Amino acid sequence: MMMNASTVLFYNEDSCSNVAIGSGIYPAIAKMNHSCYSNTVCLFNGITATVKTTQNVDKGSQLFNSYGIDFELIDKYTRQENLRAQYDFDCHCEACILDWKRNDNLRIIICGNCSSTVSVSSSNVKCGNCSSDLRDMLSEHVTVLEDTYNEAFQCFQRREYQKGLQILTCYEAMSRIKVLQMPDSLLLDWNDLVKKFIVRSFYEDS
C-alpha cells in the first residue's frame, strides 16, 4: 500500500521559519487531497502534527493540503508535470481549472454588478458579461486590501497574533469581491503573514 508521507518540520524562532528534520507517516493527513491553493497548514510540536486552516472554510467543505506545489510560486504546466511524476495524478483544483497566473498585471475578480468571473488586466477592465467598467472597483478594493494588510502587520509587530489573524481572515469584502490574484508582493506577503500568525500563536500556546 502506498501512503503519502509528511515532512516533519522544526520551528526556528530566530528566522520565524520551518526547518525540515525528517519525514513521518500521519494517516489522517495522508488522506487529505492536494490543492495548489491549499486551505490548511501542518504544524509540528516535536513529532505531534496539528493541522490548522489558513482560510475561512464553510461547514462540510473539504480541507486541502499542499504537497509542496503552490500556484503562487510555480506555473500550471510545471505543477501538473511535477504532480504527475511524483504522485501520478492530474490536479483539478480551482487554481488549475481557472489557470490562475502569477502576473502583476492580471487579476481575476467577481463582477460586483452581475457576479461573473472576470479576468482583469491592463488591457481589459470591463466585464465581458454586463460590460461594467471594473477599474474603480478593482482599484478601491486593492487599496483596502493593502490597508488591511498593514493593519494586520502592525498587530504582528505588537505580538497580537489572534487579533491580526482575525483582521485578515474575517475581511468581509473578500467574500463579496474575490480578488484571486493580487500583485505578487501583496499576495505572497498576505499569505505569508496569515501563516506566521497561525504558527506564532500555535507555538506560543504549546
Side-chain angles (χ1 to χ4, degrees), residues 4-8 22-26 44:
N4 190 27
S6 296
T7 302
V8 180
S23 297
I25 300 297
Y26 299 87
F44 292 88

Side-chain angles (χ1 to χ4, degrees), residues 33-78:
N33 286 324
H34 164 82
S35 171
C36 297
Y37 187 49
S38 65
N39 54 16
T40 67
V41 62
C42 190
L43 304 170
F44 292 88
N45 186 1
I47 61 173
T48 301
T50 300
V51 174
K52 295 273 190 177
T53 57
T54 57
Q55 306 168 28
N56 289 328
V57 180
D58 294 333
K59 183 178 180 180
S61 297
Q62 186 172 174
L63 297 177
F64 289 100
N65 194 7
S66 169
Y67 294 178
I69 299 173
D70 301 309
F71 98 94
E72 294 132 328
L73 303 174
I74 307 173
D75 65 88
K76 178 182 175 180
Y77 177 81
T78 304

Side-chain angles (χ1 to χ4, degrees), residues 103-170:
N103 189 319
D104 276 339
N105 298 317
L106 173 66
R107 303 178 184 88
I108 299 176
I109 68 172
I110 304 300
C111 176
N113 186 46
C114 69
S115 299
S116 297
T117 301
V118 185
S119 296
V120 178
S121 66
S122 56
S123 60
N124 176 43
V125 292
K126 287 189 176 182
C127 175
N129 185 52
C130 69
S131 299
S132 296
D133 191 324
L134 306 176
R135 187 182 293 105
D136 291 341
M137 182 181 71
L138 180 62
S139 177
E140 177 184 354
H141 188 56
V142 171
T143 297
V144 174
L145 284 171
E146 292 172 343
D147 291 343
T148 302
Y149 171 84
N150 290 331
E151 181 182 357
F153 186 75
Q154 291 174 9
C155 290
F156 183 82
Q157 292 178 315
R158 296 193 299 266
R159 303 176 71 89
E160 298 172 348
Y161 304 130
Q162 292 299 329
K163 179 180 178 182
L165 184 60
Q166 185 177 23
I167 289 173
L168 293 180
T169 58
C170 295

Side-chain angles (χ1 to χ4, degrees), residues 159-196:
R159 303 176 71 89
E160 298 172 348
Y161 304 130
Q162 292 299 329
K163 179 180 178 182
L165 184 60
Q166 185 177 23
I167 289 173
L168 293 180
T169 58
C170 295
Y171 178 45
E172 294 180 359
M174 288 296 286
S175 62
R176 180 171 56 84
I177 309 172
K178 189 178 181 185
V179 176
L180 301 178
Q181 277 91 36
M182 305 179 213
D184 280 359
S185 58
L186 179 57
L187 178 61
L188 295 176
D189 287 346
W190 183 288
N191 290 343
D192 183 59
L193 187 58
V194 168
K195 292 177 182 178
K196 282 184 177 180

